[in-house]
């Protein structure tokens, strides 16, 4: 019988650290997979912020992607501001509220949407003001740099770390549910424990599917 996080003792819990940018659809799907894993394995997810804007600074990019990156700064700044003021435990609920609006709901990435997400997560509305400020950029860049130090500079988001080993990915769609999510976790944990394992990859044949 599979042991859930709630049934496991604290010493039995495996921790998964995930770095996310709320703007990234692939990171969103990975994050929902990890929440499914928490239901079927003794796993607890710890959330951290990274930034597609920081990642792509100085790169020659298509105009439409550049516009997406420009719009992405507000949400990551608000996430970091919330973490700095209220602690890292607020990141999970805030990310869920933002991602559900951005990806499942296809809502505009505006201050109004961010304020609605803050309200849903039970957080102060004035945190939205951080979206247009550079006040928390040093902390944002430090959190992003932590992920890059772990996994290397030639990857993007999502980044996850399992038992001291970090990877880009997994890049999946749609979200695995139930025991399917647990089996994928088992596989990722297995390769994380294999010394010298670096990469599995194939060309994506579909875009992100939100359900």
């Amino acid at each position: 019988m599979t042991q859930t996080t709630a049934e496991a003792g604290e010493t039995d819990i495996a921790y998964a650290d995930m770095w996310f940018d709320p703007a990234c659809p692939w990171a969103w799907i990975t994050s929902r997979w990890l929440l499914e894993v928490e239901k079927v394995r003794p796993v607890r997810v710890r959330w951290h912020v990274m930034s597609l804007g920081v990642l792509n600074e100085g790169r020659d990019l298509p105009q439409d992607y550049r516009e997406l990156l420009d719009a992405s700064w507000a949400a990551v700044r608000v996430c970091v501001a919330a973490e700095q003021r209220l602690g890292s435990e607020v990141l999970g609920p805030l990310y869920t509220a933002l991602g559900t609006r951005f990806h499942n709901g296809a809502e505009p990435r505006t201050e109004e949407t961010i304020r609605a997400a803050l309200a849903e997560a039970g957080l102060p509305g004035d945190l939205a003001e951080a979206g247009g400020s550079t006040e928390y950029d040093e902390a944002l860049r430090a959190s992003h740099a932590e992920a890059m130090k772990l996994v290397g500079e030639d990857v993007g988001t999502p980044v996850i770390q399992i038992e001291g080993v970090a990877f880009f990915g997994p890049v999946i769609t749609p979200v695995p549910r139930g025991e399917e999510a647990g089996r994928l976790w088992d596989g990722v944990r297995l390769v994380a424990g294999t010394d010298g394992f670096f990469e599995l990859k194939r060309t994506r044949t579909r875009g992100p599917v939100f359900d």
Side-chain angles (χ1 to χ4, degrees):
M1 180 175 177
T2 301
Q3 193 178 35
T4 67
T5 301
E7 296 167 335
E10 190 70 26
T11 58
D12 298 322
I13 291 173
Y15 288 92
D17 291 276
M18 177 175 167
W19 282 260
F20 68 90
D21 183 321
C24 179
W26 296 105
W28 174 244
I29 293 173
T30 300
S31 72
R32 300 310 93 180
W33 160 66
L34 284 173
L35 292 182
E36 286 290 310
V37 172
E38 284 190 329
K39 300 174 185 177
V40 296
R41 296 291 187 272
V43 171
R44 185 168 298 153
V45 183
R46 299 181 294 203
W47 305 101
H48 312 269
V49 181
M50 64 184 298
S51 168
L52 288 171
V54 173
L55 181 71
N56 288 282
E57 282 181 326
R59 296 183 181 180
D60 186 17
L61 300 167
Q63 182 60 29
D64 57 346
Y65 190 56
R66 174 57 60 193
E67 291 173 357
L68 183 149
L69 294 181
D70 290 344
S72 73
W73 282 92
V76 289
R77 283 168 168 162
V78 169
C79 286
V80 170
E83 180 184 26
Q84 292 289 302
R85 282 176 51 178
L86 301 167
S88 61
E89 65 273 10
V90 305
L91 284 177
L94 179 55
Y95 182 26
T96 292
L98 286 167
T100 301
R101 286 168 169 76
F102 289 167
H103 304 297
N104 299 72
E107 295 184 29
R109 301 179 186 196
T110 61
E111 183 175 326
E112 182 180 1
T113 300
I114 291 172
R115 285 186 180 275
L118 287 166
E120 180 183 329
L123 301 176
D126 70 325
L127 284 167
E129 297 170 9
S133 168
T134 60
E135 179 180 357
Y136 295 96
D137 280 12
E138 183 177 351
L140 169 59
R141 290 178 182 277
S143 183
H144 179 90
E146 181 183 8
M148 295 297 97
K149 181 179 180 181
L150 289 169
V151 79
E153 297 291 338
D154 58 342
V155 300
T157 178
V159 169
I160 66 169
Q161 179 178 236
I162 300 171
E163 298 173 349
V165 178
F167 295 112
F168 162 65
V171 177
I172 46 177
T173 195
V175 180
R177 304 289 183 183
E179 186 56 24
E180 182 182 358
R183 288 195 299 271
L184 177 57
W185 166 263
D186 295 341
V188 173
R189 194 176 185 187
L190 176 65
V191 297
T194 302
D195 182 49
F197 176 87
F198 294 105
E199 185 174 5
L200 279 172
K201 190 171 184 178
R202 63 175 178 161
T203 300
R204 300 175 198 176
T205 58
R206 69 181 97 167
V209 176
F210 308 121
D211 54 9

